[in-house]
Amino acid sequence: MTSPAARDRGNLHYPVEPMIATAVDEIPTGPGWAYQPKWDGWRCLGWVREARVQLQTRAGKPIGAAFPDVTRALRATLPPGVVVDGELLVWDSARERSSFSLLQRRAAAGRHVLRMARQYPAHFVAFDLLATPDESLLPAPLAERFALLEQLLAGAPAPIVLCPQTDDLAVAREWAETWPSTGIEGLVCKRLDQGYRLGRGGWRKYRVRTTAEQIIGGVTGWTSAPQTILVGQFDARGRLRYTGRSTPLTDEQRAELGPLLERPVAQRRGVPVRHPWPQPLPASWSGSWERPEPLRYVQVEPAVVAEVLVDAAFEHARYRHRVRFVRPRRDLSVYDVPLIGVDD
């Protein structure tokens, strides 16, 4: 006869879809909320087995072979049967912050994986516990799961880090305000009394955003009714460098921007004008590990400045996440927008 513990673990089979966080514009407040930093890394679940440790991405892809330093540390720290949720990070000591690009290099190291692991060690920041050797913790409240996780990680080696958690809103706001310089993107907000819901929502993610001025160099859709904008900044050589793409514009924003984007780049006095960005936009320019298809777009004269909301994920002179268009800055010239470093 199957034991109760075995029945409890019946719905935990590698891989699983982890619990999802929904984006919000305000930090949820009130009794029963807990707050954790939102890390700039890869969501990762660790499955500790008798003979090995398996790592899976949010999409269920195995990545353990690329991170032997993490699998070794998890195996040395946790007993077989534990399933832990967390984030993979690589720390850039020169910049004193986490580095998404170094994380990508680790994942693509191939036969150089051991050398890359020594050069750029990875860390697993554990923030939730799905199972112990005896039972599934999916129905258990977060307060219980996190307390057990804290016990399991007592004395863990350097590659394994317990994620900070607080129920003090003032502390959480301080994290959101002071930690973005280290690569923290904001907060993940969770109910202390809520169970772990595989593949379903329930958590909230709050990204810290600041405003920036950017130059519109292209659009998807039509210039008269743009769907999204592609933005950039001039470098010291006077070349417009691509920095990112916006989230979809609202009807009101499309109507406001359309008349300002007078014409696409085509000709000037009968002479073709060479736009500085390729057509289509290369998939690699998005900065995403799960690369999308190349993006076809309409190139426009770089004459309009846009105020946008951006987050802390800015690396190699590009915003890795979509920016949010706020308004056109008719009062600014494109030459008022700060230059971007050639070697950023």
Side-chain angles (χ1 to χ4, degrees), residues 69-313:
D69 43 348
V70 171
T71 57
R72 184 165 52 246
L74 283 173
R75 187 176 180 185
T77 304
L78 300 173
V82 166
V83 183
V84 64
D85 194 356
E87 195 95 357
L88 277 175
L89 302 176
V90 172
W91 185 255
D92 184 343
S93 56
R95 299 170 63 210
E96 295 187 340
R97 60 171 293 153
S98 60
S99 172
F100 196 81
S101 62
L102 289 180
L103 188 62
Q104 289 178 307
R105 288 179 63 184
R106 281 291 312 267
R111 61 189 179 91
H112 304 294
V113 61
L114 295 180
R115 176 176 62 81
M116 290 291 289
R118 289 191 298 270
Q119 189 173 2
Y120 304 114
H123 301 272
F124 184 91
V125 182
F127 53 67
D128 212 325
L129 185 64
L130 280 66
T132 65
D134 300 317
E135 61 179 341
S136 165
L137 295 177
L138 300 182
L142 172 63
E144 179 182 336
R145 300 197 310 272
F146 194 81
L148 288 171
L149 179 64
E150 193 170 17
Q151 293 175 21
L152 285 171
L153 295 186
I160 310 302
V161 180
L162 177 69
C163 180
Q165 178 173 296
T166 183
D167 59 2
D168 187 325
L169 180 60
V171 172
R173 289 191 188 279
E174 182 183 2
W175 291 349
E177 292 170 2
T178 61
W179 288 14
S181 61
T182 66
I184 297 299
E185 297 181 335
L187 300 171
V188 179
C189 313
K190 307 177 179 182
R191 296 289 308 176
L192 286 166
D193 58 357
Q194 189 174 47
Y196 192 102
R197 307 164 69 186
L198 294 176
R200 299 170 61 192
W203 296 344
R204 305 287 185 266
K205 57 182 176 182
Y206 168 77
R207 277 199 172 97
V208 176
R209 295 183 183 271
T210 57
T211 58
E213 279 73 48
Q214 297 283 292
I215 301 164
I216 301 177
V219 302
T220 60
W222 302 268
T223 53
S224 59
Q227 300 297 313
T228 66
I229 58 172
L230 280 62
V231 297
Q233 292 172 252
F234 288 122
D235 62 24
R237 300 169 184 170
R239 181 180 177 85
L240 184 67
R241 299 184 66 190
Y242 172 81
T243 54
R245 181 184 177 192
S246 76
T247 55
L249 305 180
T250 65
D251 291 340
E252 292 79 8
Q253 290 171 336
R254 287 195 289 270
E256 183 179 26
L257 266 184
L260 301 179
L261 304 172
E262 295 180 355
R263 62 188 184 278
V265 169
Q267 291 186 344
R268 184 181 290 124
R269 294 183 179 178
V271 179
V273 175
R274 185 173 180 272
H275 196 282
W277 303 343
Q279 176 69 275
L281 207 68
S284 61
W285 282 28
S286 71
S288 172
W289 185 46
E290 305 285 352
R291 291 184 176 179
E293 294 296 319
L295 178 68
R296 297 206 66 84
Y297 67 105
V298 179
Q299 297 174 338
V300 302
E301 295 276 6
V304 178
V305 177
E307 180 180 321
V308 296
L309 285 172
V310 301
D311 63 25

